[in-house]
Structures are given as structure tokens and as C-alpha cells.
Amino acid sequence: MTPTQLFKCLSDDTRLLSTLLIHSEGELCVCELMTALEDSQPKISRHLAQLRSCGLLADRRDRQWVYYRLHPDLDPWITQIVATTAAAHKDQLGSCLQKLKTMQCRPERCA
């Protein structure tokens, strides 16, 4: 992935925040991102599909949930940019993470 491709992938607020939240949490599913970002399922799913197709995210299925994580084969410079951006946006991320922490019955806690 080139720097231009990376920045195009992250140029939308929903894609950027989703990527930063996934970086912070390790992996998240669509319903968790819906809660954290207060957005609709179709919008979140569309942006996750774009992030997956550009190679930033990988996914795994567990029962009815699909979990997204940063792609394990990302170049180190990409991982560093994501980490630096997350550190620089602690306030905005903190607000989203707080919404996530108050989410009832997160998938990993459901029976």
C-alpha cells in the first residue's frame, strides 16, 4: 500500500475512527462500532468493507458476528501512523471508548 492509498482509505471520519477504535481495542464487530460511533449498521458495514478491500483490516467470523482487526501483515510504517494518530486523538477516542464500555451485552460477553 502506498501512502496515497492509505490516506485515501482513512480520509473519511467513519473509516478513520473505526480504524483507530479497532487499533485501540484489538478487534471489534459492527454492533460495537455502531454503539461507539452512534451510526447505522449499513454505514459502518460499508466503511468496514472499504477498509478491508484496501488491505487495512482483516476479519474473522464467530457465530453470527464478524470481528475486524488491523491486518496482521501491514507494513510497520502503516501501523506506526495508526498508533500515532490514535495517540493524538485521545479525547475523541476516549468518548467513543466510553460509549463502548457502557454497551450492554457486547458480543464477547453474550452466551
Side-chain angles (χ1 to χ4, degrees), residues 43-89:
K43 182 177 179 182
I44 298 292
S45 293
R46 183 179 72 248
H47 286 293
L48 290 172
Q50 288 176 311
L51 289 167
R52 196 179 64 232
S53 72
C54 76
L56 273 175
L57 299 182
D59 62 353
R60 70 173 180 90
R61 182 170 292 279
D62 182 15
R63 294 169 291 183
Q64 72 264 35
W65 295 289
V66 178
Y67 292 93
Y68 294 86
R69 65 190 183 286
L70 290 181
H71 199 286
D73 297 331
L74 287 176
D75 288 336
W77 67 269
I78 296 172
T79 306
Q80 183 61 46
I81 286 172
V82 172
T84 301
T85 305
H89 289 83

Side-chain angles (χ1 to χ4, degrees), residues 12-19 21-22 28-52 57 66 68:
D12 176 86
D13 284 338
T14 300
R15 290 194 300 272
L16 176 61
L17 279 174
S18 295
T19 301
L21 285 166
I22 289 167
L28 292 171
C29 72
V30 173
C31 65
E32 290 171 311
L33 289 165
M34 287 170 53
T35 297
L37 299 175
E38 296 180 335
D39 243 324
S40 69
Q41 181 273 324
K43 182 177 179 182
I44 298 292
S45 293
R46 183 179 72 248
H47 286 293
L48 290 172
Q50 288 176 311
L51 289 167
R52 196 179 64 232
L57 299 182
V66 178
Y68 294 86

